[in-house]
């Protein structure tokens, strides 16, 4: 996938067409008052238009261009990413069908002290999104309960919602089965375990300070009665097993397949589904990943075509004009994915679009790719959790019946703000490099 062509802005035009169609459709529909406006046009269709533009604009025969496109689609990193998406979808689907999400929520609400509602909801949302790999899933599961607790306790509803959003984005950023983690690690060619550890050192302080702030400012006027809800710890177990196995460095395919089997066995034992319906849950999990699967495949092909046409190299040269060294290269990568996320309102899409560009920039400036993977994921999740038109914010506000606006919540999104501050501090003081050096030293000792 190396670029041998001269830098050319023309090579970037198909990507710009893709983003313009995707963003433009969302803006127009938003102005017309369509719900979830930025999610009405399937991203794979938008990128398909960009691919057609590439075939028209780029030099060479149709056969040559098609071979280049297939080379990108079939690249090992792209195929690996796509298979992981399918397995992650199957695990999430089977685990939810056997009651894993409900059990996790109920367990969290059982042990959360009623005095610490806001902080407790942040922690529960963090665990659910980390375990399930989806911030949207965590928000859908917890927000109805959170709204009720806010009404009973007197804690301002915007603060409660901000706590849920912060926790959901914490897990989205760190989860080993999150779309963003898969995209970030595979585009940079690093292990999930290594990215997780680098990422955790940045996210943990931000989360801890957020919890402290929520404990101080989230005290309820009235202590609500939280009903003791039934849950089965066995149904929470698959999430814990997958998380632990992934962090210990076991192959991700083995980890996710083990999680699917464990959730399936537990579901069968408790009568949540039959063997036949289990197979359907697995397949439904595959289908749930169709959009991101197709997007990754098609974007991989388009990226290779753009690279050979000189588009990626042209963009890198423009970015290099404002990059003066390693630290500014890291900030440049973060801003690149942040701006893209604000444009397309999808953090995974933003990472996929910028993955190959970020890798080339980091290799040029000797930035460790484990750190670049963490930066891509962190910046995309920060801004995805802030934009008013993102799926997370739209769904969160959907449970409030119009009582709360994005402007009420955004100033209270302390976790996202703190995560941004800590990331910048870690970059400028080269703390990540010290962490990576320590990790490498420990690996050598272990071997």
């Amino acid at each position: 996938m190396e670029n041998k062509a001269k830098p050319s802005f023309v090579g970037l035009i198909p990507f710009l067409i893709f983003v313009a169609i995707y963003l433009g459709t969302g803006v127009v529909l938003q102005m017309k008052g369509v719900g979830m406006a930025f999610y009405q046009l399937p991203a794979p269709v938008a990128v398909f238009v960009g691919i057609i533009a590439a075939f028209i604009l780029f030099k060479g025969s149709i056969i040559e261009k098609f071979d280049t496109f297939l080379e990108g689609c079939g690249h090992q990193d792209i195929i690996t990413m796509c298979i992981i998406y399918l397995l992650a979808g199957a695990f999430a689907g089977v685990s939810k069908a056997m009651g894993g999400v409900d059990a996790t929520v109920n367990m969290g609400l059982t042990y959360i002290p009623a005095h610490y509602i806001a902080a407790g909801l942040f922690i529960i949302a963090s665990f659910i999104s980390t375990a399930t790999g989806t911030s949207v899933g965590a928000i859908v599961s917890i927000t109805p309960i959170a709204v009720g607790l806010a009404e009973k306790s007197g804690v301002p509803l915007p603060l409660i919602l901000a706590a849920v959003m912060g926790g959901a984005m914490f897990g989205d950023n760190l989860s080993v089965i999150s779309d963003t983690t898969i995209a970030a690690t595979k585009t940079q060619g690093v292990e999930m375990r290594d990215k997780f550890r680098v990422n955790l050192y940045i996210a943990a302080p931000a989360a801890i300070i957020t919890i402290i702030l929520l404990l101080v400012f989230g005290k309820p006027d009235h202590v609500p009665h939280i009903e003791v809800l039934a849950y089965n710890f066995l149904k929470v177990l698959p999430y814990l097993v997958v998380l632990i196995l992934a962090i210990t460095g076991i192959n991700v395919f083995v980890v996710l397949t083990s999680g699917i089997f464990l959730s399936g066995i537990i579901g069968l034992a408790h009568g949540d589904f039959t063997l036949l319906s289990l197979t359907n849950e697995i397949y439904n999990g595959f289908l749930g990943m169709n959009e991101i699967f197709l997007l990754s495949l098609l974007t991989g092909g388009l990226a290779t075509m753009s690279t050979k046409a000189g588009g990626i190299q042209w963009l890198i040269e423009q970015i290099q004009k404002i990059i003066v060294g390693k630290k500014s290269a890291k900030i440049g990568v973060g801003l690149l994915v942040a701006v893209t996320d604000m444009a397309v309102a999808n953090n995974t899409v933003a990472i996929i679009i910028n993955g190959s560009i970020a890798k080339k920039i980091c290799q040029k400036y000797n930035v460790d790719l484990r750190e670049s993977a963490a930066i891509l994921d962190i910046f995309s999740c920060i801004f995805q959790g802030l934009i008013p038109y993102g799926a997370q914010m739209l769904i969160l506000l959907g449970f409030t019946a119009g009582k709360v606006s994005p402007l009420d919540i955004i100033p209270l999104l302390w976790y996202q703000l703190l995560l941004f501050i800590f990331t910048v501090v870690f970059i400028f003081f080269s703390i990540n490099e010290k962490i990576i050096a320590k990790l490498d030293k420990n690996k050598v000792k272990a071997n």
Side-chain angles (χ1 to χ4, degrees), residues 130-150:
T130 302
T132 62
T134 165
S135 53
V136 170
I139 290 169
V140 170
S141 302
I142 299 172
T143 306
I145 299 170
V147 171
L149 290 175

Side-chain angles (χ1 to χ4, degrees), residues 8 16 21 60 132 141 161 200-201 267 276 344 350 401 403 407 445:
S8 171
L16 296 178
I21 290 175
T132 62
S141 302
L161 295 176
L200 183 62
Y201 276 98
L276 186 59
V344 301
K403 297 178 182 177
L407 295 179
K445 286 183 179 179

Side-chain angles (χ1 to χ4, degrees), residues 286-304:
F286 290 164
L287 291 179
M289 289 293 180
N290 267 359
E291 182 170 344
I292 196 65
F293 179 102
L294 292 172
L295 179 65
S296 299
L297 200 69
L298 296 174
T299 306
L302 179 58
T304 300

Side-chain angles (χ1 to χ4, degrees), residues 233-256:
F233 180 74
L234 277 178
K235 296 191 174 186
V236 181
L237 189 60
Y239 297 130
L240 296 174
V241 169
V242 165
L243 182 61
I244 293 169
L245 289 179
I247 294 173
T248 55
I250 294 175
N251 182 280
V252 65
F253 296 104
V254 175
V255 170
L256 292 173

